[in-house]
Amino acid sequence: MNSAADEDHDYNYDDELVPYVACCPITPEVAERLAGVARLPLDDPDEVESRLLALGFVDDDLEMDDALARTPEGHYVFTDEHLWVPFAYSYYVGGDLNPEDFWGTLPGWNSQAGAGQEALEAVIEAAVQAFTNVLGMPPAVDVRQDSKGRRYAAWQVDGNRLAVAQTLEPFSYMQDDHAVVYIGQAKTVPDPRSTSI
């Protein structure tokens, strides 16, 4: 993973950086499980973890320290005011700052060297299609943001919002992109349009 530069280290920036896209796909089974989460009452944060475990999520042997749980397929679930479940990352490997492919080594994840925005968009499109099929309707909102064309698609599910979004990835200090599923109350789920569905 990219990390903040250490002032005491002489980094080699001349190494070739190779673009990668890693994903843990949103299959129909994963879409059904995450839609099940969106159908739950999510107003009590103390009960969210037990509800996830009842839906087949696991909370042991987590490779990510801040994760609340993960799907059996390998998607990590993080929580803030809402749940967020990354399923793809676009990043660079090479040099001293990010010499190895971290994401591609996680259980359930695979990565492709030399892949770029088109590969990431294909993974996002497959996720949007999986949720459209499971929920039986297209997204209520489906927009592209900024010059990079970052996509945001969202559904209303039993009073909650389920959204698929390409956004800046926080683990890399906003240097890379990731694709994420947001689930939560409409007022807490990020919406780049800053309006309600």
Side-chain angles (χ1 to χ4, degrees):
M1 250 180 348
N2 289 338
S3 60
D6 178 355
E7 294 176 6
D8 297 330
H9 187 76
D10 185 22
Y11 290 108
N12 178 3
Y13 293 101
D14 295 330
D15 289 349
E16 180 180 350
L17 297 178
V18 178
Y20 274 72
V21 169
C23 74
C24 189
I26 301 293
T27 63
E29 296 80 16
V30 172
E32 186 63 53
R33 185 176 290 111
L34 294 176
V37 173
R39 292 181 183 108
L40 295 173
L42 297 173
D43 53 344
D44 186 351
D46 294 333
E47 294 185 20
V48 170
E49 185 175 6
S50 63
R51 290 177 177 163
L52 291 176
L53 296 177
L55 286 173
F57 289 75
V58 295
D59 66 353
D60 57 338
D61 298 325
L62 299 176
E63 301 278 336
M64 306 289 290
D65 291 337
D66 296 335
L68 176 66
R70 69 174 166 76
T71 66
E73 295 82 8
H75 305 85
Y76 289 89
V77 180
F78 300 90
T79 186
D80 194 357
E81 294 179 330
H82 54 274
L83 299 175
W84 50 288
V85 184
F87 64 92
Y89 288 90
S90 174
Y91 54 101
Y92 291 89
V93 174
D96 290 337
L97 291 177
N98 201 19
E100 297 177 3
D101 174 18
F102 170 77
W103 296 111
T105 65
L106 294 175
W109 289 73
N110 62 69
S111 61
Q112 179 182 356
Q117 181 65 25
E118 286 183 16
L120 184 61
E121 287 177 5
V123 173
I124 294 168
E125 177 58 35
V128 169
Q129 191 58 55
F131 284 115
T132 296
N133 293 343
V134 164
L135 296 171
M137 62 184 160
V141 174
D142 195 349
V143 295
R144 294 191 180 272
Q145 305 292 318
D146 65 39
S147 62
K148 198 167 189 174
R150 291 182 175 100
R151 189 169 183 184
Y152 178 85
W155 296 260
Q156 284 299 118
V157 181
D158 294 349
N160 289 319
R161 180 175 295 167
L162 184 150
V164 172
Q166 177 183 350
T167 184
L168 293 172
E169 188 270 309
F171 296 120
S172 67
Y173 299 95
M174 307 301 188
Q175 297 177 61
D176 301 323
D177 273 18
H178 71 165
V180 61
V181 176
Y182 293 119
I183 304 170
Q185 297 177 309
K187 66 184 178 187
T188 66
V189 170
D191 183 344
R193 302 164 308 129
S194 298
T195 60
S196 61
I197 293 179

